[in-house]
Amino acid sequence: MSFSNPEVFWTLLLLIPAGLLLYTSHLKGRHELLRIGGAWRGHRLQSVYLLKGFFSGLLLLLTFLLLIAAWAGPSWGRAPVEEPEDGLDIALAVDVSRSMTSTDVPPSRLDQARDVIRMLLSAFPSARFSLVAFEGIGVTLTPLTPDKGVLARWVDELGPNVTTAPGSNLADGLEEALRTVGYTSVHHRVVIFLSDGESRDGNLLAAARKAAAAGVEIFALGFGTAEGGKIPDGDGFLKDDFGFPVQTKRNDGTLKMLASETHGRFFLGADRASQRELQDLLSNLANPASRGGVGLQPVPRYRVFLFLALVTLSGFLLVRIVPWKEVF
Amino acid sequence: MLTFEEPFYFVLLALVPLLMFLKHRWKGRGGRLSFPLGVWEGQRFRPGIAGMRLVMATSNLALWLTFAFLVTALAGPSLTRQEKIYLNAGADIFIVLDESPSMAARDFPPNNRFTAAKDVIRRFVQGRQNDQIGLVSFGRDAALRVPLTLDYTYLLKRLDDLQVMSLGDGTALGMGLALAALHLQDSTAPQRVIIALTDGVNNSGEIQPSTAVDLIRSLNIPLYLIGIGTNAEVPLEVTDPKTGMAYSGTMEDGFNEDFMKSLAVPPLGAYFSAGSSGSLESIFLAIDSRETATKRVKVEVHNDPLFGSLLVAALASLGLFFVLRKLILKEIL
């Protein structure tokens, strides 16, 4: 089972004060029933109240729990769906922030990304590509086009100087990449996201969900090492306010989130085997006939939880309504 | 349009009146203790707690709304929208636009030639669907501004950014045409077209217009050449975008219409003369009607589910019921 909005499970924390409120209310109720019922009737009232209080409280908390689980977007299993797409529209979103100039993967992260793009341009001659570079903002360098010559020229130009807004806004880069493939087409639409995963601005999760809603898969390629590297600056390295060299590391978590939100994949960008795997995957997407024009999509199961919530809520009411042992 | 994936779930709404009856009207209902607070056979005791009654009514409303939201969410409401999807490729069109200083001549009142041309191109692009369009401009040199694309938003933005004289003082018509042909040569579209707009004779660039036209003909691409302006004396105002220097004066020399007619000869293209905004517009309409690629279209229906909002509404109303009952009314069960 997987959840499309797992972060809503944080709202489960609200069940703790709700449970405490139910418990204190129950203790208060026991005390008051004893006072109202008196010695001869109070204990009988209390025994029924204990059962009713337990079950009604439990069913109410279960209702909240099931509603939150349904809100989290559960899904399991995959169902076949018709895939009419024929051909590929690929948005290349390239991180050109200064951290991408780090040489922890020689010659540099950006050079590695350039090599991957060149490989894709030659491997998919009939695909259409767009090229978006991002730092503080995302900028379209070429719109979606079959013209590989123009794309190849821009790939050579990629660097921190192609945009005028410094920073690391992965969300804006993704939004702009989505815009370039943001119209209906019989082509399968994907975003190849090439970055070290260091994100400082923007809401990347929201952008990823937008991609998922538009049916665009993201293949995220991580560049750099987990140990990290320094950022070249002139003859030396970029330093922070205290004079220490800035250390930049590849952040797989950010990139894996992008891929998982859109049912895409995460790859290590500099790894040759990963590059071949990406190429095979894209070839498969470009030719839906090779898999019978049918794809698999996760089946949403929120209804199961909603229906159970309806049952527990009805149970919560019935526990209160139906008199037990002719007491109350 | 609002639709429901599983409307039979609405049958569950029948539970609501039944539960309402049991909870509020059934005399044998439990969960309460009765106390005789009135005089025997006298009037019933009604405490003055109007505020509490309001809270109780609100909490009950919240409870039944929760049921209604849950059942509606189960029925899977969604907004359906139809999208037109083109199953085949449209035409590939390159627009070649003159940026030479003479394009600043103000004989298309209230605009100059350049602005009038851009306005008509904008309307032409907005009227296309599924046709990839590219943009080349030329002055002393020629430059590819936008490669063939369906991204009309990007194309129009780049068109707006174009300025007279940004490629220098001159008219490299041959270079502009050759550049467009070069970027069209690998196109596999069922129709390929070049539309060029200029107001002068070629006086710059390494490629002569006749050479470029030979290349275009060899690729079997129709060329529509539009001569903009008149031979009359017209005022001219232009600012060099590189230096910021403003120039003004009058312009007399027109274009060599016979030469341009020789470049675009039917049936593979045509020459048009545009002396006003109206005629420019009608020329584009004429080209539009000539170049109509067969379009195979299918309409796809997309559903945007709404259950998420209803779920949040159900959670909120149940939460309100709980808070009102336990914190305000101090209910013990």
Side-chain angles (χ1 to χ4, degrees), chain B residues 181-193:
Chain B
L182 193 71
H183 285 277
L184 265 179
Q185 66 179 352
D186 293 330
S187 160
T188 54
Q191 265 183 308
R192 298 176 297 172
V193 183

Side-chain angles (χ1 to χ4, degrees), chain A residues 18 21-22 25-26 28-29 32-33 36 41 45 49 52-53 56 60 63-64 67-68 70-71 84 128 140-147 150 179-180 183-186 302-303 306-307 309-310 313-314 316-318 320-323 327-328, chain B residues 5-6 9 12 19 22-23 26 28-33 35 63-64 66-67 70-71 73-76 83-87 132 144 146-151 153-154 183 298 300 307 311-312 315 318-319 321-322 326-327 330-333:
Chain A
L21 187 59
L22 280 170
S25 158
H26 182 79
K28 192 176 160 211
E32 286 179 357
L33 281 176
I36 291 167
R41 202 176 159 209
L45 282 174
Y49 177 65
K52 279 205 165 194
S56 73
L60 186 64
T63 306
F64 276 115
L67 283 177
I68 291 167
W71 187 19
R128 293 186 297 198
T140 299
L141 301 179
T142 47
L144 195 71
T145 181
D147 198 331
V150 181
R179 193 201 62 74
T180 64
Y183 40 86
T184 52
S185 158
V186 284
Y302 73 94
R303 273 201 185 86
L306 269 189
F307 189 79
L310 200 64
L313 186 59
S314 304
F316 159 73
L317 281 181
L318 288 172
R320 293 155 57 100
I321 291 167
V322 177
V327 176
F328 82 104
Chain B
E5 289 168 22
E6 313 278 0
Y9 275 109
L12 292 173
L19 287 169
L22 290 174
K23 186 173 186 302
W26 183 39
R29 65 187 184 274
R32 59 188 184 141
L33 289 172
F35 293 95
L63 176 68
W64 302 121
T66 305
F67 270 97
L70 280 180
V71 173
L74 269 170
E83 276 180 341
K84 203 193 272 184
I85 296 181
Y86 291 92
L87 299 171
Q132 295 193 117
L144 175 76
V146 183
L148 284 171
T149 186
L150 286 170
D151 191 344
T153 311
Y154 179 85
H183 285 277
K298 78 164 184 174
E300 215 168 69
F307 76 89
L311 237 162
V312 175
L315 262 169
L318 189 61
F321 166 79
F322 180 73
K326 294 293 173 191
L327 288 180
K330 312 270 186 205
E331 196 176 63
I332 60 166
L333 185 63

Side-chain angles (χ1 to χ4, degrees), chain B residues 23-317:
Chain B
K23 186 173 186 302
H24 301 300
R25 293 287 169 201
W26 183 39
K27 287 193 174 159
R29 65 187 184 274
R32 59 188 184 141
L33 289 172
S34 301
F35 293 95
L37 289 172
V39 180
W40 177 255
E41 289 193 338
Q43 282 194 327
R44 285 175 67 188
F45 172 72
R46 285 191 175 276
I49 47 173
M52 283 298 177
R53 283 182 191 283
L54 181 68
V55 174
M56 191 170 281
T58 309
S59 70
N60 283 329
L61 181 70
L63 176 68
W64 302 121
L65 275 178
T66 305
F67 270 97
F69 288 142
L70 280 180
V71 173
T72 313
L74 269 170
S78 54
L79 282 177
T80 54
R81 59 191 160 84
Q82 293 184 334
E83 276 180 341
K84 203 193 272 184
I85 296 181
Y86 291 92
L87 299 171
N88 62 337
D92 280 354
I93 302 168
F94 247 102
I95 296 170
V96 181
L97 180 61
D98 189 346
E99 285 187 6
S100 63
S102 56
M103 286 292 281
R106 308 188 70 86
D107 49 359
F108 282 73
N111 298 319
N112 60 23
R113 295 172 183 177
F114 191 67
T115 311
K118 285 207 297 185
D119 286 347
V120 177
I121 292 170
R122 189 178 300 108
R123 284 195 287 279
F124 174 74
V125 171
Q126 284 166 343
R128 310 302 300 185
Q129 284 181 322
N130 197 42
D131 296 329
Q132 295 193 117
I133 304 176
L135 179 65
V136 161
S137 66
F138 62 90
R140 182 183 293 174
D141 209 341
L144 175 76
R145 299 298 190 176
V146 183
L148 284 171
T149 186
L150 286 170
D151 191 344
Y152 297 160
T153 311
Y154 179 85
L155 177 83
L156 292 175
K157 190 174 175 303
R158 294 305 307 269
L159 178 72
D160 286 342
D161 293 342
L162 292 184
Q163 286 178 296
V164 170
M165 270 186 89
S166 66
L167 288 171
D169 179 4
T171 306
L173 173 62
M175 293 283 282
L177 292 175
L179 193 57
L182 193 71
H183 285 277
L184 265 179
Q185 66 179 352
D186 293 330
S187 160
T188 54
Q191 265 183 308
R192 298 176 297 172
V193 183
I194 295 175
I195 303 171
L197 296 97
T198 182
D199 72 339
V201 289
N202 190 77
N203 58 20
S204 181
E206 291 161 4
I207 301 174
Q208 285 299 316
S210 53
T211 312
V213 167
D214 287 344
L215 173 66
I216 291 167
R217 281 184 189 147
S218 70
L219 294 169
N220 210 27
I221 300 171
L223 168 66
Y224 296 104
L225 194 54
I226 303 170
I228 306 176
T230 57
N231 283 316
E233 191 175 292
V234 283
L236 181 143
E237 283 172 26
V238 62
T239 305
D240 187 334
K242 283 177 187 149
T243 61
M245 293 263 293
Y247 304 92
S248 65
T250 53
M251 201 181 74
E252 251 183 298
D253 59 328
F255 42 80
N256 187 341
E257 198 164 31
D258 292 336
F259 174 69
M260 283 202 255
K261 276 179 184 167
S262 71
L263 294 178
V265 183
L268 210 58
Y271 170 76
F272 301 92
S273 176
S276 65
S277 293
S279 59
L280 194 55
E281 188 92 46
S282 55
I283 289 165
F284 266 88
L285 285 173
I287 296 170
D288 207 6
S289 62
R290 282 184 189 208
E291 301 300 331
T292 48
T294 309
K295 291 183 169 87
R296 287 193 300 122
V297 176
K298 78 164 184 174
V299 175
E300 215 168 69
V301 177
H302 291 275
N303 290 325
D304 297 324
L306 299 173
F307 76 89
S309 315
L310 285 163
L311 237 162
V312 175
L315 262 169
S317 55

Side-chain angles (χ1 to χ4, degrees), chain A:
Chain A
M1 185 174 5
S2 60
F3 294 91
S4 56
N5 310 313
E7 71 279 1
V8 303
F9 280 121
W10 284 106
T11 51
L12 284 176
L13 289 174
L14 289 174
L15 295 189
I16 297 170
L20 285 173
L21 187 59
L22 280 170
Y23 181 66
T24 52
S25 158
H26 182 79
L27 289 182
K28 192 176 160 211
R30 276 171 65 90
H31 178 67
E32 286 179 357
L33 281 176
L34 199 62
R35 282 170 60 191
I36 291 167
W40 61 278
R41 202 176 159 209
H43 291 291
R44 193 168 156 76
L45 282 174
Q46 272 190 341
S47 66
V48 174
Y49 177 65
L50 178 67
L51 285 173
K52 279 205 165 194
F54 174 74
F55 282 112
S56 73
L58 181 70
L59 287 168
L60 186 64
L61 290 178
L62 262 177
T63 306
F64 276 115
L65 180 72
L66 289 163
L67 283 177
I68 291 167
W71 187 19
S75 65
W76 61 83
R78 286 181 174 251
V81 287
E82 187 191 357
E83 279 197 347
E85 288 93 351
D86 181 20
L88 264 182
D89 283 348
I90 301 174
L92 299 161
V94 192
D95 188 346
V96 290
S97 60
R98 293 194 66 175
S99 61
M100 285 293 281
T101 60
S102 175
T103 54
D104 54 350
V105 279
S108 76
R109 297 176 184 179
L110 195 57
D111 283 322
Q112 293 273 2
R114 278 199 195 99
D115 287 346
V116 172
I117 295 174
R118 288 190 190 106
M119 178 272 287
L120 291 171
L121 290 179
S122 63
F124 298 98
S126 58
R128 293 186 297 198
F129 288 85
S130 65
L131 183 61
V132 170
F134 61 89
E135 278 186 276
I137 55 165
V139 177
T140 299
L141 301 179
T142 47
L144 195 71
T145 181
D147 198 331
K148 306 293 181 300
V150 181
L151 284 153
R153 203 188 71 211
W154 270 112
V155 172
D156 295 338
E157 298 290 324
L158 282 174
N161 297 329
V162 295
T163 78
T164 51
S168 204
N169 191 338
L170 274 62
D172 203 60
L174 178 56
E175 294 255 8
E176 185 60 17
L178 285 175
R179 193 201 62 74
T180 64
V181 289
Y183 40 86
T184 52
S185 158
V186 284
H187 291 199
H188 203 108
R189 295 172 299 158
V190 299
V191 172
I192 310 280
F193 200 83
L194 305 101
S195 170
D196 52 22
E198 284 198 331
S199 180
R200 293 190 201 94
D201 314 293
N203 187 344
L204 193 58
L205 181 63
R209 294 221 168 118
K210 204 170 159 186
V216 178
E217 285 163 275
I218 299 174
F219 297 103
L221 276 71
F223 292 90
T225 59
E227 295 75 35
K230 295 170 189 164
I231 301 171
D233 184 30
D235 293 334
F237 294 101
L238 189 69
K239 290 182 176 147
D240 62 18
D241 295 341
F242 303 102
F244 295 107
V246 174
Q247 193 78 7
T248 165
K249 294 177 183 175
R250 190 186 73 226
N251 184 345
D252 291 352
T254 313
L255 299 171
K256 281 179 179 167
M257 179 277 288
L258 278 183
S260 67
E261 282 293 327
T262 57
H263 308 294
R265 286 277 302 276
F266 166 76
F267 297 96
L268 290 175
D271 179 45
R272 298 284 170 218
S274 292
Q275 290 173 11
R276 276 194 298 276
E277 202 180 338
L278 172 67
Q279 200 175 324
D280 291 345
L281 234 156
L282 291 173
S283 301
N284 196 29
L285 288 177
N287 303 298
S290 64
R291 50 186 199 286
V294 171
L296 293 174
Q297 268 190 357
V299 184
R301 307 285 186 180
Y302 73 94
R303 273 201 185 86
V304 175
F305 292 85
L306 269 189
F307 189 79
L308 287 174
L310 200 64
V311 171
T312 52
L313 186 59
S314 304
F316 159 73
L317 281 181
L318 288 172
V319 164
R320 293 155 57 100
I321 291 167
V322 177
W324 286 14
K325 298 182 184 175
E326 296 179 346
V327 176
F328 82 104

